[in-house]
Amino acid sequence: MKIPYYPGCTLKTKAKDLEDSAIAAAKVLGVEMEELPQWNCCGTVYSLSTDDLIHQIGPIRNLIRAKEQGSDRLVTLCSMCYNTLKRANEFFLADEEKRDRINRYMDEEMDYAGDVTVVHLLEILRDEIGMDKVKAAVKKPLTGLKVSPYYGCMLLRPASIGIDDMERPTVMEDLLRALGAEVIDDPYKTECCGAYQTVNRKDVVVTCVHSILTSAQGNGAEVVALSCPLCDFNLDNRQKDIQQAYAGFHTMPVLYFTQLMAIAFDLDESVCRFELSSQDPRPLLKSKGLIA
Amino acid sequence: MKPRIGVFVCHCGLNIAATVEVSEVVKAIEHYPGVAHAQDYIYMCSDPGQELVRKAIREKKLTGLVMSNCSPSLHERTFRNLAASEGLNPYLVEVANIREYCSWPHQGDKETATKKALTIIKATIERVKRNQALVPLIVPLQKRVLVLGGGVAGMQTALDIANGGYPVTILEKEAYLGGRVRQLERTFLTMESAPDLANEMIDRTLKQPNIEVLTTSRIENLSGYVGNFEVQIRQQLPWVDPARCNGCEACVAACPAEVPSTFDRGLTTRKAVDWTPGERHGDRRIFLDHAACLRVTRQENCTACREACAEGAIDYPEDRLIDRTYGAIVVATGHDLYRKSALTEYAEDPDVLDALQFERLLSEDGPTGGKVLRPSDGKEPKEVVFVQCAGSRDPDKHFPYCSKVCCMYTCKEARRYREKVPDGQAYIFYIDIRSTGKGYEEFVKESVEKERLLYLKGKVSKIARKGDKLLVLGGDTITGLQVEVEADLVVLAMATVPNPGAKELARLLNINTDPYGFIQEAHPKLAPVETLTAGIYLAGTSQAPKDIPHAIYQAGGAASKILSLFSRKELVHEPLVARVDQEICAGCGYCRDNCAFQAVDVDPIRKKAMVNEALCEGCGACATACPSGAIQVKNLDSKQVFDMISIVTQDYSMQP
Ligand SMILES: Cc1cc2nc3c(=O)[nH]c(=O)nc-3n(C[C@H](O)[C@H](O)[C@H](O)COP(=O)(O)OP(=O)(O)OC[C@H]3O[C@@H](n4cnc5c(N)ncnc54)[C@H](O)[C@@H]3O)c2cc1C
Ligand code: SF4
């Protein structure tokens, strides 16, 4: 299956580990994610004001790029991009008059009808590949690895675009179980990581992430799995700050679900780009015999 | 006889006269064929105006009246009564509405208005020429009432009517009376015992000779109309004969079927044959719950209890079908709580209870004998979180309405918890505290101060198990801080919803429900205990969430409406109903299919349509559907309609 793929800026810089592992792991399952030949910023944060049409143009342009590839679908990996693109499309579809205005403004573009469906890789795994097939592709089951999935908000909210039940999602659990991991259910898995407060209110993020990680650890988790580069930055990099704020805090590795897929599929370790992690996951993975 | 019609044109002050040239109308109509008298007056409905009409009827020997004035909904009755008192049949009087239909919409255009008024009057004259003298229909009135539901609202309505001297049947689907109140421990504001309150009322109900109580019974079928409802009742006959049972419990021990107790809301189990719940109730007895019995659930031929019974008290008779006629029906089928599992952000956990489960935990006749012990491990909870508005006031995901009683009962439950566990802490998350009854605010204030209840203004976003504790995440909008409580027990004030089956019941009774399934009252302000179907009334929480006092007010209201209905000897019905020309009717049944009141049926043998005049509202839907014109509405038959149409089309051409 070939599907146009929208990376977004972070996946080309700080979250190279997400992109490389995802593309490689998807390929094992027959999903070829083909990067759009041309793309621009997704808009980063979905604009909530109803008359702010200019902010919808960025994401809509990306959808037009997908259309130009002859596809009515576009896959994403970053939760933030998923959220912005999907919601922009929803906004665009909901109001004919605004749709017209946006189309008229972008007169250099082909007219867009709102007919590109944005999907997240997790949805493809669940709805099209199926967890049985994922399981069949596993060469090195993550046996004994205690993983706590963390969704944050962008994959689930608002409900109209969420990939799963907003309060009790299970898609990542199902995936991790298929990979052979021991899933740790944690009540904080849908709580906020502090998001962009990380820029000027680090203390807020430190409080949020401390709760999330200590709760996961309290439930026995050894590693947290997630899908969002911003969550990853907060959960992984901010641990240094947590250590300063909370004496006795123990750090723990944080991985993208795609890295765990790559390990379980026994792909070359280089696609995981572990060196980009702030909390090095390698000692843990080695101790479990998952990497050499 | 040649018609001698009187035409009276009212000025309605300037309402009509400023737009319609009244004197011109009178002049033009005086010599119209069939008109014997024409006259205008400033206010025809005033005493002198009415006197003019009387005089003309007498002196000119009028055979019909065309009252040209305001809408018939205002004064049709006035002038028909006037005619009757002068010996003129009231159905020979019609209103030509030249105010709402003419002067008001055509203000400033005298020429059009005057011409149109004349047309309306002429058309009405043609109608009156063919009007028949009619007499009102007399409908017999069965002075007997059926009350659906034996909660406090149903019992109160029944008592009020029975005390007025009329027989009442209470139909209760459970094996016992009392409804939800029987499940509670205490009641605000007085903190009196709820079982005692229920018990006292049950006792009065059972002892009132005019009340018949049919438990484990439901309404199966309904036909008829106010005064004469034909009702079929399905009664599950008790499989344990209370007259023979000595309460030895041998059957209970023998019964293999154990099910969660609905009364204790799943906190305990009961055998299919077991005591009715509530140790302190006077009507307590061993009863066999058909819905739990293997004979019903698995169609097995289990006879374990019958074999165990030394008294021969147990047998398995079929349901009994009872046919009865009632003059009025009261719906008092009560409420339930919204299911906890709908709030997916809250863990499904043995220590997360709904408010009724917590009432059971507080109750002496409950699963813990009145000690507050948590279901998971039987320990006394020291930190209890109460969550208000759980599912209420949440238009996006659940119900937009306020459940009205939960602010008060949460305060009551928290207070009772603190009285029972003095070293415990109660936290209450709320949006606002709605304590708007007499003495309610004082009750809340007093409880907060006396029992140091910790109210936190905010919503709870998550409840999750955390080892031995429940993690409760919420917000406090007053400090603006996130709140985290590690609780031993959580109580959810789940939204009030109608009892299951309310929608089906409403369909059977041909009454309406609101979008949430509560029974719809006829008018929110002016007819709050009536439904739109004459003769069917409502009371209690079947209509909307409410507490006991309000359920009792409404019950009294419904009873007094019925008593006033019953103060008449018989019911009178307008004679303006449909009539079938038996010679033309081909029995096709289109009329029956178009009737909204189920007033027409086709006789299967004679193949002719038949009108039930007591049900017919004279709307005319049948007449327009009938392909042969066999069915007609009296005093509005097709000849009259066509006469009127020819006047309108000949005399009045619409200006472009
Ligand atoms: C947790 C909780 C605590 C409360 N505490 C208080 C308090 O302290 N003070 C206070 O004033 N109010 C309190 N209330 C409110 C109180 O329970 C109601 O006001 C009261 O029960 C209303 O009585 P009702 O007769 O209208 O309905 P219900 O009590 O619900 O009774 C309805 C009856 O109809 C029967 N029924 C249902 N459907 C059918 C059918 N189709 N055919 C035949 N029978 C049927 C039911 O079995 C039931 O017996 C509380 C409510 C809750 C949920
Ligand atoms: S009565 Fe109080 S708790 Fe119940 S829904 Fe209304 S505001 Fe919320």
Side-chain angles (χ1 to χ4, degrees):
Chain A
M1 179 210 303
K2 279 191 184 167
I3 178 164
Y5 154 61
Y6 174 85
C9 55
T10 322
L11 276 83
K12 294 295 174 190
T13 51
K14 277 200 173 336
K16 223 24 202 153
D17 39 357
L18 172 55
E19 171 164 64
D20 288 359
S21 58
I23 291 177
K27 201 168 194 169
V28 173
L29 298 168
V31 181
E32 284 188 48
M33 302 176 23
E34 290 190 324
E35 184 175 331
L36 292 175
Q38 230 192 340
W39 50 268
N40 53 261
C41 173
C42 72
T44 321
V45 181
Y46 176 75
S47 172
L48 287 173
S49 58
T50 49
D51 53 357
D52 180 17
L53 302 191
I54 201 76
H55 272 105
Q56 309 297 350
I57 287 175
I60 297 296
R61 280 217 163 98
N62 287 317
L63 300 176
I64 295 176
R65 299 288 88 82
K67 202 81 217 172
E68 285 165 358
Q69 298 306 303
S71 176
D72 48 14
R73 298 209 306 165
L74 183 64
V75 67
T76 59
L77 292 168
C78 166
S79 308
M80 212 73 159
C81 299
Y82 168 79
N83 192 281
T84 323
L85 295 175
K86 187 126 189 169
R87 286 171 86 179
N89 200 51
E90 199 181 49
F91 174 90
F92 185 81
L93 271 178
D95 186 331
E96 202 170 335
E97 196 200 312
K98 286 185 181 135
R99 186 154 71 220
D100 254 24
R101 274 178 66 193
I102 294 177
N103 271 332
R104 262 183 288 126
Y105 181 79
M106 299 187 301
D107 52 3
E108 80 285 12
E109 302 277 11
M110 64 195 268
D111 262 10
Y112 178 59
D115 51 351
V116 172
T117 312
V118 180
V119 289
H120 191 271
L121 180 60
L122 280 168
E123 289 178 289
I124 295 187
L125 296 177
R126 178 189 62 199
D127 305 332
E128 291 167 52
I129 308 296
M131 295 306 172
D132 288 343
K133 262 206 180 145
V134 174
K135 194 168 180 180
V138 171
K139 294 209 179 113
K140 215 194 263 176
L142 307 179
T143 318
L145 188 67
K146 295 181 181 143
V147 191
S148 177
Y150 174 76
Y151 291 84
C153 37
M154 291 293 148
L155 281 182
L156 304 173
R157 288 164 197 272
S160 60
I161 62 103
I163 66 166
D164 205 341
D165 185 290
M166 172 160 106
E167 305 290 357
R168 291 186 197 169
T170 55
V171 51
M172 246 197 284
E173 283 80 345
D174 293 342
L175 173 68
L176 292 168
R177 250 177 241 120
L179 299 179
E182 185 180 328
V183 175
I184 304 292
D185 189 32
D186 183 68
Y188 283 86
K189 70 183 177 190
T190 56
E191 291 297 309
C192 179
C193 69
Y196 284 112
Q197 300 291 352
T198 207
V199 180
N200 50 3
R201 285 289 306 274
K202 211 160 66 175
D203 57 314
V204 171
V205 171
V206 163
T207 319
C208 293
V209 175
H210 177 255
S211 302
I212 296 166
L213 294 180
T214 48
S215 173
Q217 288 168 342
N219 286 322
E222 296 164 320
V223 55
V224 171
L226 41 64
S227 85
C228 173
L230 181 58
C231 299
D232 181 68
F233 180 83
N234 286 345
L235 264 63
D236 184 18
N237 285 50
R238 285 284 172 244
Q239 288 190 34
K240 288 175 270 172
D241 304 291
I242 296 176
Q243 272 183 314
Q244 278 168 22
Y246 295 89
F249 171 76
H250 295 292
T251 59
M252 73 190 295
V254 175
L255 290 171
Y256 290 110
F257 70 93
T258 52
Q259 290 174 297
L260 290 166
M261 285 171 76
I263 299 169
F265 295 166
D266 203 15
L267 302 181
D268 194 299
E269 200 188 303
S270 63
V271 301
C272 289
R273 310 286 298 258
F274 290 130
E275 72 281 5
L276 291 175
S277 289
S278 159
Q279 301 301 328
D280 190 350
R282 282 170 290 199
L284 172 71
L285 296 172
K286 266 191 199 131
S287 76
K288 299 277 171 182
L290 293 170
I291 57 170
Chain B
M1 193 175 66
K2 268 181 70 187
R4 299 177 56 76
I5 294 170
V7 179
F8 297 86
V9 186
C10 181
H11 300 192
C12 194
L14 287 175
N15 272 297
I16 295 172
T19 309
V20 173
E21 200 58 78
V22 185
S23 54
E24 235 173 71
V25 171
V26 171
K27 229 185 285 156
I29 211 75
E30 251 168 355
H31 304 293
Y32 190 81
V35 174
H37 179 83
Q39 187 172 19
D40 62 293
Y41 188 66
I42 179 163
Y43 287 114
M44 210 58 89
C45 58
S46 67
D47 282 352
Q50 292 200 33
E51 199 41 50
L52 289 178
V53 183
R54 287 179 192 281
K55 205 163 143 238
I57 297 174
R58 256 180 266 140
E59 291 178 357
K60 302 266 175 87
K61 304 207 167 13
L62 299 180
T63 61
L65 305 182
V66 171
M67 303 305 304
S68 317
N69 38 257
C70 52
S71 153
S73 64
L74 272 127
H75 281 304
E76 186 181 76
R77 198 87 320 255
T78 315
F79 295 121
R80 284 191 172 166
N81 287 345
L82 177 154
S85 71
E86 288 298 328
L88 178 65
N89 185 287
Y91 296 95
L92 301 173
V93 177
E94 294 293 346
V95 168
N97 181 355
I98 58 167
R99 192 178 77 175
E100 282 83 346
Y101 286 176
C102 184
S103 70
W104 280 358
H106 295 295
Q107 271 173 36
D109 186 355
K110 228 170 185 168
E111 199 185 323
T112 307
T114 307
K115 206 168 165 204
K116 181 169 168 183
L118 208 55
T119 309
I120 294 174
I121 294 169
K122 282 184 192 164
T124 313
I125 293 172
E126 291 307 324
R127 178 177 178 191
V128 170
K129 281 182 185 168
R130 291 191 193 271
N131 263 15
Q132 295 172 333
L134 302 172
V135 270
L137 303 164
I138 301 297
V139 182
L141 174 60
Q142 279 290 333
K143 296 185 185 179
R144 173 192 285 276
V145 181
L146 178 67
V147 175
L148 304 175
V152 288
M155 285 192 285
Q156 185 64 50
T157 318
L159 282 165
D160 287 350
I161 296 168
N163 290 339
Y166 299 103
V168 184
T169 304
I170 298 181
L171 224 60
E172 169 55 58
K173 75 170 164 53
E174 300 295 335
Y176 43 85
L177 294 173
R180 295 282 167 223
V181 176
R182 196 165 163 151
Q183 288 173 288
L184 310 180
E185 192 232 22
R186 302 264 178 117
T187 60
F188 61 81
L189 313 162
T190 49
M191 292 304 241
E192 72 197 289
S193 147
D196 285 356
L197 184 98
N199 227 358
E200 192 264 343
M201 205 159 176
I202 293 169
D203 197 48
R204 274 194 289 141
T205 304
L206 294 175
K207 286 192 181 136
Q208 158 56 262
N210 282 335
I211 298 180
E212 168 195 40
V213 177
L214 297 177
T215 49
T216 53
S217 300
R218 281 165 178 279
I219 184 165
E220 185 92 351
N221 233 318
L222 175 90
S223 59
Y225 43 88
V226 54
N228 297 276
F229 289 109
E230 304 290 343
V231 180
Q232 188 172 62
I233 296 165
R234 176 181 288 274
Q235 184 189 25
Q236 284 180 359
L237 291 176
W239 286 355
V240 181
D241 180 356
R244 288 203 186 165
C245 173
N246 63 7
C248 74
E249 299 184 359
C251 53
V252 181
C255 176
E258 190 159 345
V259 292
S261 152
T262 42
F263 187 82
D264 281 337
R265 292 186 80 81
L267 294 179
T268 59
T269 58
R270 57 163 278 140
K271 293 291 190 69
V273 60
D274 212 327
W275 291 99
T276 52
E279 270 165 30
R280 290 159 63 191
H281 288 275
D283 61 341
R284 191 163 182 261
R285 63 188 184 283
I286 289 189
F287 109 100
L288 207 167
D289 182 0
H290 296 206
C293 175
L294 298 183
R295 299 178 65 85
V296 177
T297 55
R298 292 205 217 139
Q299 307 283 315
E300 279 174 17
N301 192 24
C302 174
T303 53
C305 52
R306 187 166 65 189
E307 280 154 30
C309 183
E311 301 293 323
I314 298 184
D315 202 2
Y316 313 107
E318 294 279 306
D319 291 356
R320 183 162 69 125
L321 289 177
I322 311 169
D323 291 307
R324 290 276 180 79
T325 309
Y326 292 97
I329 297 176
V330 181
V331 185
T333 48
H335 69 288
D336 197 354
L337 292 185
Y338 190 37
R339 48 175 219 290
K340 286 182 291 180
S341 60
L343 305 184
T344 48
E345 64 272 40
Y346 300 163
E348 291 184 47
D349 190 285
D351 294 335
V352 178
L353 303 180
D354 72 25
L356 270 174
Q357 288 179 313
F358 192 65
E359 292 277 350
R360 297 310 303 143
L361 268 197
L362 290 170
S363 293
E364 274 167 42
D365 62 1
T368 52
K371 291 203 186 73
V372 184
L373 302 175
R374 46 181 213 176
S376 61
D377 57 6
K379 282 195 198 138
E380 190 175 70
K382 298 294 183 196
E383 309 259 314
V384 178
V385 171
F386 294 84
V387 181
Q388 293 195 174
C389 304
S392 304
R393 305 180 65 186
D394 190 345
D396 286 344
K397 291 178 72 188
H398 306 288
F399 302 109
Y401 57 81
C402 164
S403 291
K404 209 152 170 236
V405 280
C406 8
C407 278
M408 291 306 294
Y409 73 57
T410 300
C411 178
K412 169 195 75 175
E413 290 182 355
R415 177 167 165 164
R416 285 300 289 151
Y417 162 68
R418 285 269 300 138
E419 283 167 6
K420 292 196 174 215
V421 185
D423 61 341
Q425 176 66 55
Y427 304 83
I428 302 172
F429 282 90
Y430 71 104
I431 303 181
D432 327 272
I433 302 172
R434 299 194 162 169
S435 51
T436 54
K438 181 172 171 177
Y440 287 23
E441 177 65 13
E442 297 92 308
F443 176 83
V444 174
K445 271 260 140 53
E446 183 195 302
S447 308
V448 172
E449 281 160 19
K450 213 170 117 211
E451 296 303 340
R452 298 164 192 272
L453 308 178
L454 187 58
Y455 273 84
L456 294 159
K457 188 173 171 70
K459 290 195 116 180
V460 168
S461 62
K462 181 147 293 173
I463 300 169
R465 169 69 42 197
K466 186 175 181 187
D468 189 30
K469 296 274 186 180
L470 287 163
L471 177 71
V472 180
L473 303 183
D476 176 6
T477 55
I478 291 176
T479 57
L481 294 176
Q482 305 268 348
V483 184
E484 243 185 71
V485 184
E486 294 198 355
D488 298 310
L489 189 76
V490 176
V491 181
L492 305 176
M494 296 304 302
T496 301
V497 295
N499 252 324
K503 277 208 173 116
E504 292 68 38
L505 179 70
R507 214 167 297 134
L508 194 147
L509 299 177
N510 206 11
I511 56 178
N512 295 327
T513 51
D514 69 15
Y516 317 107
F518 289 109
I519 308 292
Q520 185 71 52
E521 64 278 13
H523 189 283
K525 290 188 263 293
L526 302 176
V529 300
E530 292 97 325
T531 67
L532 281 174
T533 301
I536 301 188
Y537 300 84
L538 45 79
T541 44
S542 61
Q543 179 249 349
K546 53 175 73 74
D547 56 17
I548 301 168
H550 288 85
I552 299 287
Y553 302 153
Q554 209 183 13
S560 85
K561 292 280 169 187
I562 292 173
L563 290 174
S564 101
L565 177 76
F566 283 5
S567 68
R568 299 178 220 169
K569 230 169 80 207
E570 58 221 349
L571 296 177
V572 181
H573 190 281
E574 279 280 8
L576 300 167
V577 293
R579 189 182 58 87
V580 181
D581 188 330
Q582 300 285 330
E583 285 178 14
I584 305 177
C585 174
C588 69
Y590 286 2
C591 47
R592 176 197 50 212
D593 303 343
N594 280 282
C595 180
F597 305 95
Q598 279 113 46
V600 203
D601 214 344
V602 178
D603 185 318
I605 298 165
R606 291 172 43 245
K607 297 262 184 305
K608 299 285 177 196
M610 318 231 296
V611 178
N612 182 335
E613 295 191 331
L615 280 180
C616 177
E617 291 290 328
C619 73
C622 51
T624 57
C626 178
S628 57
I631 193 163
Q632 304 274 341
V633 177
K634 289 182 186 168
N635 283 357
L636 196 63
D637 65 25
S638 52
K639 283 203 200 75
Q640 291 176 297
V641 173
F642 282 118
D643 283 352
M644 289 193 280
I645 291 174
S646 23
I647 296 281
V648 172
T649 47
Q650 137 208 331
D651 221 46
Y652 183 77
S653 66
M654 296 281 275
Q655 303 297 323

